[in-house]
Amino acid sequence: MISLCILVFLCRHASFVEPFQPVPIFPRNALYKHRGQHFSDGEKSFFLASSRKPIIEPSQKRSRRPRSSRRRSASVTKELKHPDALETWRIYGVDVDPDSLEQSSKTRSNENEIRNQNVSPERLYMTTPVLKSLLKRLRIKPNPSLDDSKVEEFELPTELIDARVIRRSVDARRRNGSDPKYTYVVDVDITKENARDFKFVQQSGRMERLNYDSDAKKGNEMAVDELGDRASLPKVLIVGAGPAGLFCALSLASSGFKPIVLERGQPVEARGKSIGALIHRRSIDPESNFSFGEGGAGTWSDGKLTTRIGRNSEPVRFVLETLVNYGAPKRILVEGAPHLGTDNLVRLLRNMREDLKLKGGEIHFGCRASKFGIKDGIVTSVQAECSGEGLHVNSKKNLSFNQLDAVVLATGHSARDVYQELYASGVTLEAKGFAVGFRIEHPQRIINEIQYGKEWGRRVFTHRMSTDDANAQHFTKYGMDDKVAHSGNLPVPSYRLATNEAFDGESNRGAYSFCMCPGGQIVPSSTEEGELCINGMSFSNRDSLWANSACVVTVSPDDPILDEYRLMHGQLAGLEFQRDMERKAWTLGGGNFTVPVQRLTDFVAGRVSSSVPSSSYRLGVKSAACHDIYPKRLYNALVNAITQHFEKQMPGFLTHEALIHGVETRTSSPLRVVRDPTSLEAIGVHNLYPAGEGAGFAGGIVSAAVDGLAVAEVVKAKFLGEGKSSSQRTTFSVGFDY
């Protein structure tokens, strides 16, 4: 009887029953291909999310429970009314155990997949262990079917629209005896409603909602902007082909300029030969060496891309993406402490040079700027002395570049003759703080143990047999407990040490490690005979037996140790102090680029070492009294920093196996070419634009590149006007980083 009544009711109201309209069915691969897009069947629209499941339309919604009683479950599909309902949140502190990563088949070959497929590292690093940790961090229940899938089949829970790894680093602090772990920063796209449901709250350094300006990003691409007749554009000359000079030149060329770049050194191909002559025959070319040449001093270094001006800021990301476009590994976009290595730098510099030429720029190698023509407070010409021995070089001995509209001064901090010429020409210079010290080298196996401990230090593999065998042999003395055996691998570790309380006998100074090169070697960075300065470098694999880092102490512009130098050299006091220390090191080593060395334990004790361990420095070392090179107050500060601070921060750092090498003096420029903060022109000299590390406005590859881009922006704004350059305008942050 009841069934009959229901049937009669339905028949009477049949005109009010809406016929069933099925949801369109898409093939599985089509859903992935068209995710994030709207589709329509003429009456209803559908939005496909990253999870590849159609979103339920409002008319299909079930009644919901009160917000307080809703479960956090991955099985409930949320509706998406419009893309504007999306938010992007940056999630910090997504921690993953290395062993779980090793069990992920996707992780083992991720570098090969990045290299061989058109897959971004942001997607590829989003492995199953990372997703599980992310969901736990967000308190979202994972799907029961979550497993280690291939990239193309990777599914997110329905609460999340998309997720991307932005940064990956290793946390080796091992607090309270904890193991080392990988730490990820992940960006997630989520609906505003789900963000409220899961109580996403703005917390700096833990969970942050991002705001994107799509219009600003469009102007960052270095595509050539046709502006008509190039001959009518301003004539811009750039002195120096380091990061600041190259990025400035490429930016200008992309906007239609025809920049002229002068580089005193040689292109990377010829520069490699000059460095080979120094290493094998001790013959130095004062214009082409570890400090001068295409790419600047950073080319033959570790190629660090770390910076303190904002790792995820727009200009920094733009620099990293540009490097990738020219051939840098894609992993630098994700790694927390990215580095290129000399081998990668050589290749991408060659690509940057060729692209600059294709865009209409000129580059002259073997040409040293010798004189700046300044008249009535305006720079209009530059005289250059050219060797004519490099590639693409005019064979004349002297070149004159006249009727210049702008000169960008992007020399490195070793171009001391340029400082002297500017000083003589009346350009305003000011003394700035710098730091000096030594290179400290440890066997890499010791750093592995200090940073990762006895259990995990053995899990560092470089794939170089001699280095891996030495590391394995080092840990055999501890035995092996099957209960604590690990399968995960860890990268070659580095370290960073700092204190502001290095007591020099009268007051405190700053002391810190600088340019740490894991799996690296020590090289001569001198630019002429009679002066000995060293630096560190690594190849991309970081697979040598040694780890080295500068250990330096700060010198302020008004430091009492510079008093006698100020009396004789004025603003150039810091420059002459550096030279004096380098001459002392040359003499102490016996000349011929032999480096004076001392065991770290003997250095702090103030005694000459009776014997020294092997060193990565290939031109020879000599046991000497390195503790006598610097003034007593600087020596005291270094000893205090090492014994009272660094050893406490890294127990085992102070060891007889560590070797001090002298000297490291060129951590940064001791001078700054003063410039207007708005126009970026040198104070008192119009159309002269100091840029980069040598001018005192950067300290590293990335910050120098960012500063070069900032100068390019103001040059374009000045000569093209707001209307013509609006599509290219970007506000770049300018900062300094040791």
Side-chain angles (χ1 to χ4, degrees), residues 377-440:
I378 302 175
V379 61
T380 57
S381 65
V382 172
Q383 305 297 319
E385 296 179 359
C386 299
S387 64
E389 296 176 359
L391 301 176
H392 314 295
V393 172
N394 191 313
S395 59
K396 294 180 180 179
K397 273 290 183 181
N398 296 287
L399 288 178
S400 180
F401 299 88
N402 302 312
Q403 297 180 335
L404 299 175
D405 296 291
V407 175
V408 178
L409 187 65
T411 60
H413 56 57
S414 291
R416 292 167 171 169
D417 55 328
V418 174
Y419 292 125
Q420 292 172 328
E421 170 60 24
L422 293 172
Y423 189 62
S425 299
V427 177
T428 304
L429 305 178
E430 68 177 8
K432 58 177 284 293
F434 59 100
V436 295
F438 299 90
R439 277 267 150 189
I440 298 182

Side-chain angles (χ1 to χ4, degrees), residues 323-335:
L323 292 173
V324 169
N325 291 338
Y326 285 115
K330 293 181 181 179
R331 57 177 166 75
I332 69 172
L333 300 175
V334 172
E335 294 295 341

Side-chain angles (χ1 to χ4, degrees), residues 268-575:
V268 287
E269 301 91 341
R271 188 180 178 188
K273 296 178 181 178
S274 301
I275 289 173
L278 173 59
I279 296 297
H280 297 291
R281 300 194 300 274
R282 301 175 186 266
S283 173
I284 188 169
D285 182 343
E287 304 296 348
S288 181
N289 43 60
F290 280 97
S291 294
F292 295 146
E294 187 176 22
T299 304
W300 265 265
S301 72
D302 186 56
K304 285 181 176 56
L305 301 177
T306 52
T307 178
R308 296 182 187 178
I309 61 175
R311 173 67 173 83
N312 293 311
S313 64
E314 183 183 338
V316 171
R317 295 293 297 180
F318 175 62
V319 168
L320 297 179
E321 291 165 1
T322 300
L323 292 173
V324 169
N325 291 338
Y326 285 115
K330 293 181 181 179
R331 57 177 166 75
I332 69 172
L333 300 175
V334 172
E335 294 295 341
H339 79 107
L340 289 170
T342 295
D343 42 342
N344 285 320
L345 279 164
V346 168
R347 180 177 64 255
L348 71 89
L349 283 169
R350 189 163 47 230
N351 295 338
M352 293 176 79
R353 180 210 314 157
E354 294 304 317
D355 190 43
L356 176 61
K357 291 162 57 182
L358 286 174
K359 291 178 177 179
E362 300 177 22
I363 184 163
H364 298 266
F365 292 106
C367 288
R368 180 178 64 85
S370 57
K371 189 171 182 60
F372 297 87
I374 301 174
K375 185 177 180 180
D376 298 328
I378 302 175
V379 61
T380 57
S381 65
V382 172
Q383 305 297 319
E385 296 179 359
C386 299
S387 64
E389 296 176 359
L391 301 176
H392 314 295
V393 172
N394 191 313
S395 59
K396 294 180 180 179
K397 273 290 183 181
N398 296 287
L399 288 178
S400 180
F401 299 88
N402 302 312
Q403 297 180 335
L404 299 175
D405 296 291
V407 175
V408 178
L409 187 65
T411 60
H413 56 57
S414 291
R416 292 167 171 169
D417 55 328
V418 174
Y419 292 125
Q420 292 172 328
E421 170 60 24
L422 293 172
Y423 189 62
S425 299
V427 177
T428 304
L429 305 178
E430 68 177 8
K432 58 177 284 293
F434 59 100
V436 295
F438 299 90
R439 277 267 150 189
I440 298 182
E441 185 170 74
H442 292 76
Q444 183 63 56
R445 63 183 184 274
I446 291 180
I447 303 300
N448 295 349
E449 180 181 346
I450 293 174
Q451 294 297 77
Y452 293 152
K454 298 174 183 178
E455 294 180 16
W456 281 100
R458 66 181 79 232
R459 299 304 302 174
V460 176
F461 294 99
T462 66
H463 305 294
R464 183 176 182 177
M465 184 176 297
S466 59
T467 301
D468 291 342
D469 287 349
N471 192 57
Q473 183 65 31
H474 173 77
F475 286 95
T476 55
K477 60 185 178 183
Y478 300 119
M480 188 67 177
D481 187 348
D482 293 337
K483 295 181 180 180
V484 296
H486 297 286
S487 60
N489 297 334
L490 291 169
V492 182
S494 61
Y495 60 82
R496 183 176 179 182
L497 303 168
T499 179
N500 288 321
E501 300 178 349
F503 189 62
D504 65 4
E506 298 183 25
S507 60
N508 288 333
R509 294 175 180 267
Y512 55 93
S513 61
F514 171 80
C515 188
M516 196 273 157
C517 298
Q521 58 184 292
I522 296 176
V523 296
S525 56
S526 304
T527 51
E528 57 184 284
E529 290 192 11
E531 298 175 358
L532 182 60
C533 179
I534 55 176
N535 193 16
M537 66 163 282
S538 297
F539 290 104
S540 57
N541 290 333
R542 291 177 162 175
D543 57 2
S544 89
L545 293 166
W546 296 276
N548 71 80
S549 174
C551 180
V552 295
V553 62
T554 57
V555 179
S556 63
D558 58 350
D559 203 302
I561 68 171
L562 297 178
D563 285 346
E564 60 178 293
Y565 295 92
R566 270 190 293 269
L567 289 174
M568 297 181 61
H569 306 287
Q571 295 286 60
L572 304 181
L575 199 70

